Amino acid sequence: MTFTKPQLFFTTPPSPCPYKEGEEERKLVTEFSNHEPIQQYDLLIKSGFRRSHNYLYRPLYNNSDYCLSVRVRTNDFNMTKSQRRVWNKNQTLQAKAFRAKATEEQFELFRSYVEQRHGDGDMSDMSWADYKEMIETSPIDTEIIEFRAPDNRLISACLIDWVHGGVSAVYSFFDIEYSNKGLGSYMILWLITESQRRKLRYLYLGYWIKESQKMSYKSKFTPLEAFQGGIWSEFPLSNAS
């Protein structure tokens, strides 16, 4: 692929890793070009990049295997018994996709989720304007999937990017009162099922850090691949630290 102008990358200054005390993180960052942003994303997501607003980024650590991009091979995925129970438990939910558009109802759910699950994270002080920018600033095919209970109450939502041959889960949140329904896992299962229906090969789940309990759920969705040493390899990786 040839872009109309050189692709420029820059590295951010070191900052504390949000997942391990004493670890420093930098990011390799580039902007979306004004031409062919979808093709640009298709190329870079296959090299371990993620999207945030109008930027593409990949974490950089001293140990290159510390933080790895992972994706589910959806055409080979089969639910485990526990995943099937989660799936069946949520069959009364109604899912509907919307062109990425922020609503106050979503924001209230998002704020409640962040305060109760990630109160010490970098999203804890996000305002309505910040949330709206996160949802709506995208040069590519981005949607938000809303999941509603039979009484029409919004209980979970997932921001996603559609890419060539797959879908990328950007961010998801849910009503903590329904924690026993496994909503986080259910949204992943829904995306896998939708990818299979559309004959898309991959669900990109972001980054995986072995030492992070918050990311351990990703390893339960197999077959999983991780981007390591410039190639996608079958997970688990025997030498991932």
Side-chain angles (χ1 to χ4, degrees):
M1 178 184 300
T2 301
F3 293 113
T4 56
K5 63 179 181 179
Q7 190 72 34
L8 301 179
F9 294 83
F10 64 92
T11 304
T12 62
S15 61
C17 172
Y19 300 102
K20 183 181 179 182
E21 187 175 353
E23 191 80 35
E24 285 192 335
E25 174 195 64
R26 294 175 298 138
K27 287 184 173 72
L28 182 63
V29 182
T30 187
E31 289 186 274
F32 277 97
S33 63
N34 293 327
H35 304 283
E36 301 180 333
I38 295 175
Q39 291 89 334
Q40 181 185 13
Y41 191 29
D42 286 341
L43 176 67
L44 290 178
I45 199 171
K46 294 173 184 175
S47 298
F49 281 76
R50 297 278 286 168
R51 181 188 68 83
S52 177
H53 301 76
N54 283 325
Y55 293 89
L56 292 152
Y57 71 95
R58 189 170 69 190
L60 296 174
Y61 289 90
N62 290 331
N63 177 359
S64 60
D65 294 335
Y66 174 71
C67 181
L68 302 172
S69 181
V70 293
R71 67 186 185 185
V72 182
R73 211 164 55 238
T74 58
N75 52 337
D76 295 325
F77 176 82
N78 290 296
M79 292 187 198
T80 63
K81 288 183 179 179
S82 60
Q83 289 168 343
R84 178 63 63 181
R85 286 194 293 269
V86 169
W87 179 259
N88 291 337
K89 193 182 296 186
N90 288 283
Q91 287 308 291
T92 59
L93 299 185
Q94 294 295 317
K96 188 172 182 179
F98 296 90
R99 188 70 185 165
K101 178 74 175 176
T103 68
E104 292 185 6
E105 184 183 26
Q106 293 167 12
F107 180 63
E108 289 177 6
L109 182 61
F110 167 81
R111 287 293 305 157
S112 175
Y113 171 79
V114 171
E115 287 172 2
Q116 295 181 66
R117 282 295 181 93
H118 305 287
D120 57 347
D122 56 5
M123 288 184 166
S124 60
D125 60 351
M126 281 180 63
S127 65
W128 159 250
D130 294 330
Y131 174 78
K132 183 178 174 66
E133 185 178 12
M134 180 181 78
I135 298 297
E136 298 182 3
T137 304
S138 172
I140 59 173
D141 187 6
T142 299
E143 291 183 334
I144 188 162
I145 315 297
E146 293 185 349
F147 297 84
R148 293 183 178 274
D151 62 0
N152 204 41
R153 180 180 178 182
L154 178 66
I155 65 169
S156 64
C158 185
L159 183 67
I160 62 169
D161 292 333
W162 294 108
V163 297
H164 180 69
V167 60
S168 175
V170 179
Y171 194 78
S172 62
F173 51 94
F174 56 86
D175 191 332
I176 301 300
E177 291 183 16
Y178 292 84
S179 293
N180 64 336
K181 292 177 71 68
L183 290 170
S185 293
Y186 175 70
M187 285 187 280
I188 294 175
L189 293 172
W190 188 92
L191 288 173
I192 291 173
T193 302
E194 182 65 12
S195 296
Q196 292 172 335
R197 186 183 72 81
R198 297 187 183 207
K199 295 182 170 43
L200 301 176
R201 294 185 62 189
Y202 301 110
L203 166 59
Y204 292 86
L205 286 180
Y207 297 107
W208 175 84
I209 295 176
K210 183 178 181 180
E211 300 175 28
S212 172
Q213 280 297 112
K214 291 181 179 180
M215 295 186 179
S216 61
Y217 70 91
K218 298 180 183 182
S219 62
K220 298 176 182 178
F221 297 89
T222 58
L224 193 68
E225 297 179 348
F227 189 76
Q228 182 187 41
I231 61 172
W232 289 94
S233 303
E234 194 80 12
F235 188 94
L237 306 166
S238 58
N239 61 334
S241 58

Short mmCIF file of all heavy atoms in Angstrom, two decimals, residues 89-96 105 109 145-157 174-175 177-178 181 183 186:
data_model
loop_
_atom_site.label_atom_id
_atom_site.label_comp_id
_atom_site.label_asym_id
_atom_site.label_seq_id
_atom_site.Cartn_x
_atom_site.Cartn_y
_atom_site.Cartn_z
N LYS A 89 -27.54 -17.15 29.62
CA LYS A 89 -28.04 -16.30 30.71
C LYS A 89 -28.46 -14.91 30.20
O LYS A 89 -29.25 -14.21 30.84
CB LYS A 89 -26.95 -16.16 31.77
CG LYS A 89 -27.42 -15.57 33.09
CD LYS A 89 -26.25 -15.42 34.06
CE LYS A 89 -25.67 -16.77 34.43
NZ LYS A 89 -24.62 -16.65 35.48
N ASN A 90 -27.94 -14.52 29.05
CA ASN A 90 -28.18 -13.16 28.56
C ASN A 90 -29.03 -13.10 27.29
O ASN A 90 -29.04 -12.07 26.59
CB ASN A 90 -26.84 -12.47 28.30
CG ASN A 90 -26.11 -12.12 29.58
OD1 ASN A 90 -26.45 -11.15 30.26
ND2 ASN A 90 -25.11 -12.93 29.94
N GLN A 91 -29.74 -14.16 27.00
CA GLN A 91 -30.52 -14.20 25.76
C GLN A 91 -31.73 -13.27 25.76
O GLN A 91 -32.33 -13.04 24.70
CB GLN A 91 -30.93 -15.64 25.45
CG GLN A 91 -29.78 -16.51 24.94
CD GLN A 91 -29.04 -15.87 23.79
OE1 GLN A 91 -29.57 -15.74 22.69
NE2 GLN A 91 -27.80 -15.45 24.02
N THR A 92 -32.09 -12.74 26.91
CA THR A 92 -33.20 -11.78 26.93
C THR A 92 -32.75 -10.37 26.57
O THR A 92 -33.59 -9.48 26.37
CB THR A 92 -33.86 -11.75 28.32
OG1 THR A 92 -32.88 -11.39 29.30
CG2 THR A 92 -34.48 -13.10 28.66
N LEU A 93 -31.45 -10.15 26.48
CA LEU A 93 -30.95 -8.82 26.13
C LEU A 93 -31.15 -8.54 24.64
O LEU A 93 -31.04 -9.43 23.81
CB LEU A 93 -29.46 -8.70 26.46
CG LEU A 93 -29.05 -8.88 27.92
CD1 LEU A 93 -27.55 -8.60 28.07
CD2 LEU A 93 -29.84 -7.96 28.83
N GLN A 94 -31.43 -7.28 24.34
CA GLN A 94 -31.56 -6.85 22.96
C GLN A 94 -30.36 -5.99 22.59
O GLN A 94 -30.06 -5.00 23.26
CB GLN A 94 -32.85 -6.02 22.78
CG GLN A 94 -34.12 -6.83 22.99
CD GLN A 94 -34.28 -7.92 21.94
OE1 GLN A 94 -34.06 -7.69 20.75
NE2 GLN A 94 -34.68 -9.10 22.37
N ALA A 95 -29.63 -6.41 21.56
CA ALA A 95 -28.45 -5.67 21.12
C ALA A 95 -28.80 -4.85 19.88
O ALA A 95 -29.48 -5.33 18.97
CB ALA A 95 -27.33 -6.65 20.78
N LYS A 96 -28.33 -3.61 19.87
CA LYS A 96 -28.57 -2.75 18.71
C LYS A 96 -27.33 -1.90 18.46
O LYS A 96 -26.76 -1.32 19.38
CB LYS A 96 -29.78 -1.85 18.94
CG LYS A 96 -30.20 -1.07 17.70
CD LYS A 96 -31.51 -0.34 17.91
CE LYS A 96 -31.92 0.40 16.63
NZ LYS A 96 -33.21 1.12 16.80
N GLU A 105 -27.46 8.87 28.54
CA GLU A 105 -27.75 7.58 29.17
C GLU A 105 -26.50 6.70 29.20
O GLU A 105 -26.19 6.08 30.23
CB GLU A 105 -28.88 6.89 28.42
CG GLU A 105 -29.34 5.58 29.06
CD GLU A 105 -30.40 4.90 28.23
OE1 GLU A 105 -30.46 5.11 26.99
OE2 GLU A 105 -31.19 4.12 28.82
N LEU A 109 -24.08 5.45 32.63
CA LEU A 109 -23.67 4.07 32.84
C LEU A 109 -22.15 3.96 32.86
O LEU A 109 -21.56 3.27 33.70
CB LEU A 109 -24.25 3.17 31.75
CG LEU A 109 -23.95 1.68 31.84
CD1 LEU A 109 -24.49 1.09 33.13
CD2 LEU A 109 -24.52 0.94 30.63
N ILE A 145 -22.38 -0.54 20.36
CA ILE A 145 -23.43 -1.54 20.50
C ILE A 145 -24.05 -1.38 21.88
O ILE A 145 -23.35 -1.45 22.89
CB ILE A 145 -22.89 -2.97 20.35
CG1 ILE A 145 -21.93 -3.08 19.16
CG2 ILE A 145 -24.04 -3.97 20.22
CD1 ILE A 145 -22.54 -2.81 17.83
N GLU A 146 -25.35 -1.16 21.93
CA GLU A 146 -26.07 -1.05 23.20
C GLU A 146 -26.80 -2.36 23.48
O GLU A 146 -27.41 -2.95 22.58
CB GLU A 146 -27.08 0.09 23.17
CG GLU A 146 -26.44 1.47 23.08
CD GLU A 146 -27.47 2.60 23.18
OE1 GLU A 146 -28.69 2.30 23.10
OE2 GLU A 146 -27.06 3.74 23.31
N PHE A 147 -26.74 -2.80 24.73
CA PHE A 147 -27.43 -4.02 25.16
C PHE A 147 -28.47 -3.61 26.21
O PHE A 147 -28.12 -3.04 27.25
CB PHE A 147 -26.44 -5.02 25.75
CG PHE A 147 -25.42 -5.51 24.76
CD1 PHE A 147 -24.26 -4.78 24.52
CD2 PHE A 147 -25.62 -6.69 24.06
CE1 PHE A 147 -23.30 -5.23 23.62
CE2 PHE A 147 -24.68 -7.14 23.14
CZ PHE A 147 -23.52 -6.41 22.92
N ARG A 148 -29.73 -3.93 25.93
CA ARG A 148 -30.82 -3.50 26.81
C ARG A 148 -31.59 -4.69 27.37
O ARG A 148 -31.78 -5.71 26.70
CB ARG A 148 -31.78 -2.58 26.05
CG ARG A 148 -31.14 -1.25 25.67
CD ARG A 148 -32.12 -0.30 24.99
NE ARG A 148 -31.47 0.97 24.68
CZ ARG A 148 -31.38 1.99 25.52
NH1 ARG A 148 -31.96 1.91 26.73
NH2 ARG A 148 -30.75 3.10 25.16
N ALA A 149 -32.04 -4.51 28.62
CA ALA A 149 -32.87 -5.51 29.29
C ALA A 149 -34.28 -5.46 28.70
O ALA A 149 -34.62 -4.51 27.98
CB ALA A 149 -32.89 -5.22 30.79
N PRO A 150 -35.12 -6.45 29.00
CA PRO A 150 -36.49 -6.45 28.47
C PRO A 150 -37.28 -5.20 28.82
O PRO A 150 -38.20 -4.82 28.07
CB PRO A 150 -37.11 -7.70 29.12
CG PRO A 150 -35.96 -8.62 29.31
CD PRO A 150 -34.81 -7.73 29.69
N ASP A 151 -36.94 -4.51 29.93
CA ASP A 151 -37.65 -3.28 30.29
C ASP A 151 -37.04 -2.05 29.62
O ASP A 151 -37.36 -0.92 29.96
CB ASP A 151 -37.66 -3.09 31.81
CG ASP A 151 -36.26 -2.94 32.39
OD1 ASP A 151 -35.28 -2.98 31.63
OD2 ASP A 151 -36.15 -2.79 33.63
N ASN A 152 -36.13 -2.28 28.65
CA ASN A 152 -35.47 -1.24 27.85
C ASN A 152 -34.37 -0.50 28.61
O ASN A 152 -33.82 0.48 28.14
CB ASN A 152 -36.47 -0.22 27.30
CG ASN A 152 -35.93 0.46 26.05
OD1 ASN A 152 -35.31 -0.16 25.19
ND2 ASN A 152 -36.14 1.77 25.95
N ARG A 153 -34.00 -1.00 29.77
CA ARG A 153 -32.92 -0.38 30.52
C ARG A 153 -31.58 -0.72 29.88
O ARG A 153 -31.29 -1.87 29.58
CB ARG A 153 -32.94 -0.88 31.97
CG ARG A 153 -31.84 -0.28 32.84
CD ARG A 153 -31.92 -0.82 34.25
NE ARG A 153 -30.83 -0.30 35.07
CZ ARG A 153 -30.62 -0.63 36.34
NH1 ARG A 153 -31.45 -1.48 36.94
NH2 ARG A 153 -29.62 -0.11 37.01
N LEU A 154 -30.75 0.30 29.67
CA LEU A 154 -29.42 0.09 29.13
C LEU A 154 -28.53 -0.50 30.22
O LEU A 154 -28.33 0.13 31.26
CB LEU A 154 -28.83 1.42 28.64
CG LEU A 154 -27.40 1.36 28.07
CD1 LEU A 154 -27.36 0.55 26.78
CD2 LEU A 154 -26.86 2.77 27.84
N ILE A 155 -27.99 -1.71 29.98
CA ILE A 155 -27.17 -2.33 31.02
C ILE A 155 -25.73 -2.58 30.58
O ILE A 155 -24.89 -2.88 31.43
CB ILE A 155 -27.80 -3.63 31.55
CG1 ILE A 155 -27.85 -4.71 30.48
CG2 ILE A 155 -29.18 -3.38 32.13
CD1 ILE A 155 -28.22 -6.07 31.04
N SER A 156 -25.44 -2.44 29.29
CA SER A 156 -24.04 -2.55 28.85
C SER A 156 -23.91 -1.95 27.46
O SER A 156 -24.90 -1.79 26.73
CB SER A 156 -23.57 -4.01 28.86
OG SER A 156 -24.28 -4.79 27.93
N ALA A 157 -22.66 -1.63 27.12
CA ALA A 157 -22.39 -1.05 25.80
C ALA A 157 -20.94 -1.34 25.43
O ALA A 157 -20.08 -1.52 26.29
CB ALA A 157 -22.64 0.45 25.80
N PHE A 174 -20.47 -1.74 31.70
CA PHE A 174 -21.77 -2.35 32.03
C PHE A 174 -22.23 -1.95 33.42
O PHE A 174 -21.46 -1.39 34.22
CB PHE A 174 -21.70 -3.87 31.89
CG PHE A 174 -20.62 -4.53 32.72
CD1 PHE A 174 -20.84 -4.87 34.05
CD2 PHE A 174 -19.38 -4.81 32.17
CE1 PHE A 174 -19.86 -5.47 34.81
CE2 PHE A 174 -18.38 -5.41 32.92
CZ PHE A 174 -18.62 -5.74 34.24
N ASP A 175 -23.49 -2.28 33.71
CA ASP A 175 -24.09 -2.01 35.01
C ASP A 175 -23.58 -3.02 36.02
O ASP A 175 -23.82 -4.22 35.87
CB ASP A 175 -25.62 -2.09 34.88
CG ASP A 175 -26.35 -1.56 36.11
OD1 ASP A 175 -25.78 -1.64 37.22
OD2 ASP A 175 -27.48 -1.09 35.96
N GLU A 177 -24.60 -3.76 38.84
CA GLU A 177 -25.67 -4.51 39.50
C GLU A 177 -25.92 -5.85 38.82
O GLU A 177 -26.48 -6.77 39.42
CB GLU A 177 -26.96 -3.69 39.50
CG GLU A 177 -26.92 -2.47 40.39
CD GLU A 177 -28.25 -1.75 40.41
OE1 GLU A 177 -29.27 -2.36 39.99
OE2 GLU A 177 -28.30 -0.58 40.84
N TYR A 178 -25.51 -5.96 37.56
CA TYR A 178 -25.73 -7.19 36.79
C TYR A 178 -24.44 -8.00 36.64
O TYR A 178 -24.29 -8.78 35.70
CB TYR A 178 -26.28 -6.85 35.41
CG TYR A 178 -27.68 -6.30 35.42
CD1 TYR A 178 -27.90 -4.94 35.63
CD2 TYR A 178 -28.79 -7.12 35.21
CE1 TYR A 178 -29.19 -4.41 35.64
CE2 TYR A 178 -30.08 -6.61 35.21
CZ TYR A 178 -30.26 -5.25 35.43
OH TYR A 178 -31.53 -4.74 35.44
N LYS A 181 -24.24 -11.69 35.69
CA LYS A 181 -24.61 -12.13 34.35
C LYS A 181 -23.41 -12.26 33.42
O LYS A 181 -23.55 -12.69 32.28
CB LYS A 181 -25.63 -11.14 33.75
CG LYS A 181 -26.98 -11.16 34.46
CD LYS A 181 -27.92 -10.12 33.89
CE LYS A 181 -28.42 -10.45 32.50
NZ LYS A 181 -29.31 -11.62 32.47
N LEU A 183 -21.50 -9.89 31.99
CA LEU A 183 -21.74 -9.04 30.83
C LEU A 183 -20.48 -8.75 30.01
O LEU A 183 -20.54 -8.62 28.79
CB LEU A 183 -22.39 -7.73 31.28
CG LEU A 183 -23.83 -7.87 31.78
CD1 LEU A 183 -24.30 -6.57 32.42
CD2 LEU A 183 -24.76 -8.25 30.63
N TYR A 186 -20.02 -11.73 27.95
CA TYR A 186 -21.11 -11.84 26.99
C TYR A 186 -20.91 -10.92 25.79
O TYR A 186 -21.15 -11.32 24.65
CB TYR A 186 -22.46 -11.53 27.64
CG TYR A 186 -23.59 -11.52 26.65
CD1 TYR A 186 -24.03 -12.71 26.07
CD2 TYR A 186 -24.20 -10.33 26.25
CE1 TYR A 186 -25.04 -12.71 25.12
CE2 TYR A 186 -25.21 -10.32 25.31
CZ TYR A 186 -25.63 -11.52 24.74
OH TYR A 186 -26.63 -11.51 23.79
#
